[in-house]
Amino acid sequence: MTLKWIATRTQEDGVFNPAGLGCAATGVPVGTDLLTRGSLMIEVALRPTVQPINLLRFSVLAPWPSGLNLCLEPDGTVRLMMRQGARHLQTALKTTLGSDVQTAHITYTWDAPARRGQLSVHLPDHGLLWQTSFATPFPLSMHDAQLIMTDANSSKIGAGVVFAAIADAPCPLGPLPGLSGAAAVDTPTGPKALHDVVAGDLVNIADGHPAPVLWAGHATLPTLGRFAPMTLRRPYMKLWDDLVTTRDQRVCLAGSEVEYLFGEERVTTAVRHLEARNCAVSTKPVPAVMTYYQILLGTHGIITVNGALVESFDASAVLDKPALIKSSVLADLAPDLRPSRVGLAAPVLRRHEAMTLTGVTIG
């Protein structure tokens, strides 16, 4: 079954389309049918707090009492509480959220027929992932899903919430791909579109030696928050064509300025940190969803895509944790193909460091 995102909500508005975001609406009234499988994801920007924070709060009495509350407690515990009629569900996940300025993806997935639910918290900037599983999850009804996403009276989102989204199947948890499928990666036989790359193909890496692809995959995501597409513009960074990425995709910077300022041959930084310069802009127009691609190598490395040096897939948050990898985009990766070495391809610059460097080399 192909996953479809059917609803999104931001601080400004909400969209609900059971046919799938970006598809033509059917016009069929929404009933109380259950989404027996699904996902509820929120992206939230957090600061240290000494008070509990309601990230998402929903409550109605008709056609039966129903409610959902997702909150963050001061000690970093993320708590999910749900009500359906006389039944109540509560689960909690201890994290370090709230200890610093952080952006997090908090996701509740459910598969009612399989009697499996999961609550997950991923910090994309830190490569940290927490997850807990539980039996007998509560599925959302289509009626409740619509109200959560579009009715400001029955559903409230916290001030730090960037977006909320609902899908009709469990979505992958943890790190996600971040490159356009039309972008071409350098291989020994020439550039090859990422959507055509398969496991076993060889790609060129920064040290000049071809490396085998262990996994090539994709994920379809709502184009909001960190998943909003950005365009790296040619000819910056040696691009021979524009490159569309997520805001979190990391690109490589190298040269004498890098060595002078950081004592490294090369460093990486998230594409969003280049937004203040002419080399990176928000992609226009923006579709409701996009499918992003990536490739996993035996060693997390630097690959050349459309002429620019970018990071291959960073799966360090799940690679050494078999229990987490089962719910990630790498769920189908055979255990004997999982890389044994987990680490950064190059030092990662924070925003203020990237601004200093790009001001010298790009701006």
Side-chain angles (χ1 to χ4, degrees):
M1 177 179 177
T2 302
L3 175 147
K4 297 196 306 292
W5 293 96
I6 62 172
T8 56
R9 179 172 175 180
T10 65
Q11 296 291 341
E12 291 74 34
D13 60 12
V15 178
F16 180 81
N17 183 1
L21 298 178
C23 298
T26 63
V28 177
V30 174
T32 57
D33 293 346
L34 291 178
L35 272 169
T36 57
R37 303 171 72 245
S39 306
L40 170 63
M41 174 193 287
I42 70 167
E43 178 177 303
V44 59
L46 295 167
R47 294 182 177 275
T49 179
V50 295
Q51 299 292 333
I53 301 173
N54 284 320
L55 303 173
L56 174 61
R57 188 175 183 89
F58 164 70
S59 180
V60 293
L61 296 176
W64 54 71
S66 181
L68 183 152
N69 188 18
L70 187 63
C71 67
L72 172 66
E73 298 178 356
D75 67 353
T77 299
V78 175
R79 195 172 299 277
L80 173 68
M81 295 166 282
M82 297 183 70
R83 178 187 181 188
Q84 289 184 351
R87 299 193 307 148
H88 294 264
L89 167 71
Q90 183 173 170
T91 190
L93 182 59
K94 188 69 167 61
T95 76
T96 61
L97 282 184
S99 62
D100 199 355
V101 177
Q102 298 163 321
T103 291
H105 292 123
I106 304 175
T107 308
Y108 165 49
T109 64
W110 65 93
D111 187 337
R115 297 175 61 85
R116 179 177 173 82
Q118 290 183 296
L119 180 63
S120 167
V121 175
H122 180 225
L123 300 184
D125 295 339
H126 303 279
L128 295 176
L129 177 64
W130 296 271
Q131 190 171 294
T132 186
S133 300
F134 50 95
T136 63
F138 284 8
L140 291 177
S141 70
M142 293 294 283
H143 175 262
D144 286 353
Q146 182 179 35
L147 292 179
I148 290 171
M149 292 292 115
T150 63
D151 184 17
N153 293 318
S154 60
S155 178
K156 309 289 185 183
I157 58 175
V161 173
V162 179
F163 76 84
I166 292 177
D168 65 356
C171 66
L173 305 175
L176 294 164
L179 294 168
S180 164
V185 60
D186 278 8
T187 76
T189 57
K192 186 173 185 177
L194 281 167
H195 56 57
D196 293 330
V197 175
V198 297
D201 285 352
L202 293 177
V203 298
N204 295 334
I205 57 176
D207 66 5
H209 299 289
V213 174
L214 302 183
W215 170 89
H218 60 272
T220 299
L221 301 166
T223 52
L224 295 169
R226 294 290 184 86
F227 305 137
M230 294 197 69
T231 300
L232 284 169
R233 301 169 56 220
R234 64 176 181 179
Y236 294 104
M237 304 180 70
K238 299 183 180 180
L239 286 162
W240 48 260
D241 196 6
D242 289 351
L243 175 60
V244 176
T245 77
T246 60
R247 297 178 64 83
D248 276 344
Q249 173 63 46
R250 292 199 290 261
V251 296
C252 184
L253 304 173
S256 59
E257 293 87 358
V258 171
E259 295 184 13
Y260 174 75
L261 292 172
F262 302 103
E264 301 284 348
E265 181 182 355
R266 61 172 63 96
V267 293
T268 66
T269 193
V271 170
R272 68 181 184 277
H273 296 330
L274 306 178
E275 192 169 12
R277 306 297 173 181
N278 289 330
C279 60
V281 296
S282 296
T283 304
K284 303 291 183 183
V286 182
V289 295
M290 275 193 67
T291 300
Y292 295 104
Y293 291 72
Q294 252 292 6
I295 56 176
L296 179 72
L297 306 178
T299 300
H300 186 205
I302 303 296
I303 55 178
T304 303
V305 180
N306 283 11
L309 296 177
V310 306
E311 279 194 4
S312 63
F313 189 49
D314 180 8
S316 54
V318 300
L319 277 177
D320 58 350
K321 303 175 183 69
L324 300 184
I325 204 168
K326 294 178 182 178
S327 302
S328 75
V329 290
L330 302 178
D332 296 331
L333 181 67
D336 60 331
L337 290 179
R338 295 173 189 170
S340 56
R341 295 173 57 192
V342 177
L344 294 173
V348 179
L349 300 188
R350 291 168 292 182
R351 183 179 185 278
H352 68 277
E353 295 170 320
M355 289 294 293
T356 300
L357 183 60
T358 56
V360 174
T361 62
I362 298 176

